[in-house]
PDB file of all heavy atoms in Angstrom:
ATOM      1  N   LEU B 121     -41.035 -36.267   7.667  1.00 95.00           N
ATOM      2  CA  LEU B 121     -40.131 -36.023   6.521  1.00 95.00           C
ATOM      3  C   LEU B 121     -40.773 -35.081   5.479  1.00 95.00           C
ATOM      4  O   LEU B 121     -40.013 -34.461   4.694  1.00 95.00           O
ATOM      5  CB  LEU B 121     -39.735 -37.326   5.832  1.00 95.00           C
ATOM      6  CG  LEU B 121     -38.783 -38.233   6.675  1.00 95.00           C
ATOM      7  CD1 LEU B 121     -38.162 -39.283   5.802  1.00 95.00           C
ATOM      8  CD2 LEU B 121     -37.743 -37.439   7.417  1.00 95.00           C
ATOM      9  N   TYR B 122     -42.042 -34.930   5.510  1.00 94.00           N
ATOM     10  CA  TYR B 122     -42.698 -34.013   4.561  1.00 94.00           C
ATOM     11  C   TYR B 122     -42.176 -32.601   4.713  1.00 94.00           C
ATOM     12  O   TYR B 122     -42.000 -31.864   3.753  1.00 94.00           O
ATOM     13  CB  TYR B 122     -44.215 -34.053   4.775  1.00 94.00           C
ATOM     14  CG  TYR B 122     -44.962 -33.392   3.629  1.00 94.00           C
ATOM     15  CD1 TYR B 122     -45.100 -34.031   2.396  1.00 94.00           C
ATOM     16  CD2 TYR B 122     -45.458 -32.088   3.759  1.00 94.00           C
ATOM     17  CE1 TYR B 122     -45.701 -33.434   1.335  1.00 94.00           C
ATOM     18  CE2 TYR B 122     -46.088 -31.483   2.717  1.00 94.00           C
ATOM     19  CZ  TYR B 122     -46.200 -32.154   1.504  1.00 94.00           C
ATOM     20  OH  TYR B 122     -46.813 -31.526   0.454  1.00 94.00           O
ATOM     21  N   HIS B 123     -41.814 -32.274   5.936  1.00 93.00           N
ATOM     22  CA  HIS B 123     -41.225 -30.950   6.230  1.00 93.00           C
ATOM     23  C   HIS B 123     -39.983 -30.697   5.365  1.00 93.00           C
ATOM     24  O   HIS B 123     -39.810 -29.627   4.806  1.00 93.00           O
ATOM     25  CB  HIS B 123     -40.876 -30.934   7.696  1.00 93.00           C
ATOM     26  CG  HIS B 123     -39.924 -29.825   8.104  1.00 93.00           C
ATOM     27  ND1 HIS B 123     -40.394 -28.536   8.392  1.00 93.00           N
ATOM     28  CD2 HIS B 123     -38.601 -29.793   8.214  1.00 93.00           C
ATOM     29  CE1 HIS B 123     -39.326 -27.729   8.694  1.00 93.00           C
ATOM     30  NE2 HIS B 123     -38.257 -28.486   8.603  1.00 93.00           N
ATOM     31  N   TYR B 124     -39.118 -31.738   5.251  1.00 93.00           N
ATOM     32  CA  TYR B 124     -37.879 -31.558   4.454  1.00 93.00           C
ATOM     33  C   TYR B 124     -38.174 -31.580   2.955  1.00 93.00           C
ATOM     34  O   TYR B 124     -37.557 -30.882   2.179  1.00 93.00           O
ATOM     35  CB  TYR B 124     -36.858 -32.669   4.790  1.00 93.00           C
ATOM     36  CG  TYR B 124     -36.430 -32.562   6.259  1.00 93.00           C
ATOM     37  CD1 TYR B 124     -36.987 -33.422   7.208  1.00 93.00           C
ATOM     38  CD2 TYR B 124     -35.519 -31.651   6.694  1.00 93.00           C
ATOM     39  CE1 TYR B 124     -36.598 -33.321   8.578  1.00 93.00           C
ATOM     40  CE2 TYR B 124     -35.158 -31.503   8.024  1.00 93.00           C
ATOM     41  CZ  TYR B 124     -35.715 -32.334   8.941  1.00 93.00           C
ATOM     42  OH  TYR B 124     -35.383 -32.241  10.238  1.00 93.00           O
ATOM     43  N   TYR B 125     -39.182 -32.354   2.585  1.00 93.00           N
ATOM     44  CA  TYR B 125     -39.598 -32.394   1.187  1.00 93.00           C
ATOM     45  C   TYR B 125     -40.055 -31.024   0.741  1.00 93.00           C
ATOM     46  O   TYR B 125     -39.680 -30.516  -0.347  1.00 93.00           O
ATOM     47  CB  TYR B 125     -40.720 -33.442   1.045  1.00 93.00           C
ATOM     48  CG  TYR B 125     -41.314 -33.491  -0.345  1.00 93.00           C
ATOM     49  CD1 TYR B 125     -40.602 -34.045  -1.424  1.00 93.00           C
ATOM     50  CD2 TYR B 125     -42.621 -33.015  -0.581  1.00 93.00           C
ATOM     51  CE1 TYR B 125     -41.175 -34.090  -2.681  1.00 93.00           C
ATOM     52  CE2 TYR B 125     -43.167 -33.054  -1.850  1.00 93.00           C
ATOM     53  CZ  TYR B 125     -42.442 -33.610  -2.903  1.00 93.00           C
ATOM     54  OH  TYR B 125     -43.007 -33.672  -4.147  1.00 93.00           O
ATOM     55  N   ARG B 126     -40.836 -30.372   1.616  1.00 92.00           N
ATOM     56  CA  ARG B 126     -41.297 -29.056   1.299  1.00 92.00           C
ATOM     57  C   ARG B 126     -40.170 -28.060   1.196  1.00 92.00           C
ATOM     58  O   ARG B 126     -40.260 -27.057   0.508  1.00 92.00           O
ATOM     59  CB  ARG B 126     -42.279 -28.605   2.387  1.00 92.00           C
ATOM     60  CG  ARG B 126     -43.678 -28.317   1.844  1.00 92.00           C
ATOM     61  CD  ARG B 126     -44.596 -27.749   2.925  1.00 92.00           C
ATOM     62  NE  ARG B 126     -43.901 -27.392   4.127  1.00 92.00           N
ATOM     63  CZ  ARG B 126     -44.355 -27.622   5.336  1.00 92.00           C
ATOM     64  NH1 ARG B 126     -45.530 -28.183   5.498  1.00 92.00           N
ATOM     65  NH2 ARG B 126     -43.723 -27.208   6.413  1.00 92.00           N
ATOM     66  N   HIS B 127     -39.090 -28.325   1.931  1.00 90.00           N
ATOM     67  CA  HIS B 127     -37.932 -27.450   1.868  1.00 90.00           C
ATOM     68  C   HIS B 127     -36.923 -27.977   0.896  1.00 90.00           C
ATOM     69  O   HIS B 127     -35.743 -28.172   1.246  1.00 90.00           O
ATOM     70  CB  HIS B 127     -37.356 -27.256   3.278  1.00 90.00           C
ATOM     71  CG  HIS B 127     -38.189 -26.412   4.146  1.00 90.00           C
ATOM     72  ND1 HIS B 127     -39.239 -26.897   4.876  1.00 90.00           N
ATOM     73  CD2 HIS B 127     -38.186 -25.069   4.353  1.00 90.00           C
ATOM     74  CE1 HIS B 127     -39.826 -25.938   5.547  1.00 90.00           C
ATOM     75  NE2 HIS B 127     -39.224 -24.798   5.228  1.00 90.00           N
ATOM     76  N   ASP B 128     -37.383 -28.306  -0.302  1.00 86.00           N
ATOM     77  CA  ASP B 128     -36.511 -28.630  -1.438  1.00 86.00           C
ATOM     78  C   ASP B 128     -35.776 -29.908  -1.415  1.00 86.00           C
ATOM     79  O   ASP B 128     -34.815 -30.128  -2.144  1.00 86.00           O
ATOM     80  CB  ASP B 128     -35.418 -27.478  -1.559  1.00 86.00           C
ATOM     81  CG  ASP B 128     -35.997 -26.321  -2.357  1.00 86.00           C
ATOM     82  OD1 ASP B 128     -37.090 -26.513  -2.930  1.00 86.00           O
ATOM     83  OD2 ASP B 128     -35.359 -25.270  -2.362  1.00 86.00           O
ATOM     84  N   LYS B 129     -36.170 -30.831  -0.590  1.00 88.00           N
ATOM     85  CA  LYS B 129     -35.524 -32.145  -0.589  1.00 88.00           C
ATOM     86  C   LYS B 129     -36.451 -33.101  -1.418  1.00 88.00           C
ATOM     87  O   LYS B 129     -37.101 -33.970  -0.875  1.00 88.00           O
ATOM     88  CB  LYS B 129     -35.315 -32.720   0.797  1.00 88.00           C
ATOM     89  CG  LYS B 129     -34.525 -31.789   1.701  1.00 88.00           C
ATOM     90  CD  LYS B 129     -33.034 -31.774   1.351  1.00 88.00           C
ATOM     91  CE  LYS B 129     -32.314 -30.815   2.269  1.00 88.00           C
ATOM     92  NZ  LYS B 129     -30.971 -30.478   1.785  1.00 88.00           N
ATOM     93  N   LYS B 130     -36.480 -32.839  -2.710  1.00 89.00           N
ATOM     94  CA  LYS B 130     -37.418 -33.538  -3.551  1.00 89.00           C
ATOM     95  C   LYS B 130     -37.123 -35.015  -3.684  1.00 89.00           C
ATOM     96  O   LYS B 130     -37.946 -35.830  -4.020  1.00 89.00           O
ATOM     97  CB  LYS B 130     -37.465 -32.899  -4.977  1.00 89.00           C
ATOM     98  CG  LYS B 130     -37.986 -31.480  -4.962  1.00 89.00           C
ATOM     99  CD  LYS B 130     -39.399 -31.394  -4.406  1.00 89.00           C
ATOM    100  CE  LYS B 130     -39.814 -29.910  -4.260  1.00 89.00           C
ATOM    101  NZ  LYS B 130     -40.790 -29.671  -3.161  1.00 89.00           N
ATOM    102  N   MET B 131     -35.836 -35.402  -3.363  1.00 91.00           N
ATOM    103  CA  MET B 131     -35.459 -36.807  -3.476  1.00 91.00           C
ATOM    104  C   MET B 131     -36.197 -37.669  -2.413  1.00 91.00           C
ATOM    105  O   MET B 131     -36.135 -38.907  -2.482  1.00 91.00           O
ATOM    106  CB  MET B 131     -33.977 -37.024  -3.412  1.00 91.00           C
ATOM    107  CG  MET B 131     -33.271 -36.365  -2.254  1.00 91.00           C
ATOM    108  SD  MET B 131     -33.240 -34.569  -2.475  1.00 91.00           S
ATOM    109  CE  MET B 131     -31.583 -34.178  -1.978  1.00 91.00           C
ATOM    110  N   LEU B 132     -36.849 -37.011  -1.485  1.00 93.00           N
ATOM    111  CA  LEU B 132     -37.611 -37.807  -0.483  1.00 93.00           C
ATOM    112  C   LEU B 132     -38.906 -38.332  -1.003  1.00 93.00           C
ATOM    113  O   LEU B 132     -39.591 -39.130  -0.369  1.00 93.00           O
ATOM    114  CB  LEU B 132     -37.860 -36.926   0.740  1.00 93.00           C
ATOM    115  CG  LEU B 132     -36.665 -36.580   1.597  1.00 93.00           C
ATOM    116  CD1 LEU B 132     -37.006 -35.524   2.646  1.00 93.00           C
ATOM    117  CD2 LEU B 132     -36.060 -37.832   2.252  1.00 93.00           C
ATOM    118  N   LYS B 133     -39.261 -37.910  -2.200  1.00 94.00           N
ATOM    119  CA  LYS B 133     -40.560 -38.256  -2.760  1.00 94.00           C
ATOM    120  C   LYS B 133     -40.818 -39.790  -2.768  1.00 94.00           C
ATOM    121  O   LYS B 133     -41.889 -40.210  -2.356  1.00 94.00           O
ATOM    122  CB  LYS B 133     -40.636 -37.702  -4.199  1.00 94.00           C
ATOM    123  CG  LYS B 133     -41.940 -38.048  -4.983  1.00 94.00           C
ATOM    124  CD  LYS B 133     -42.742 -36.803  -5.196  1.00 94.00           C
ATOM    125  CE  LYS B 133     -44.089 -37.014  -5.862  1.00 94.00           C
ATOM    126  NZ  LYS B 133     -44.744 -38.274  -5.645  1.00 94.00           N
TER     127      LYS B 133
END
Side-chain angles (χ1 to χ4, degrees):
Chain B
L121 292 196
Y122 192 76
H123 165 85
Y124 297 101
Y125 175 72
R126 240 185 11 220
H127 288 87
D128 277 349
K129 305 286 180 195
K130 296 300 171 209
M131 51 288 223
L132 291 171
K133 177 112 185 28

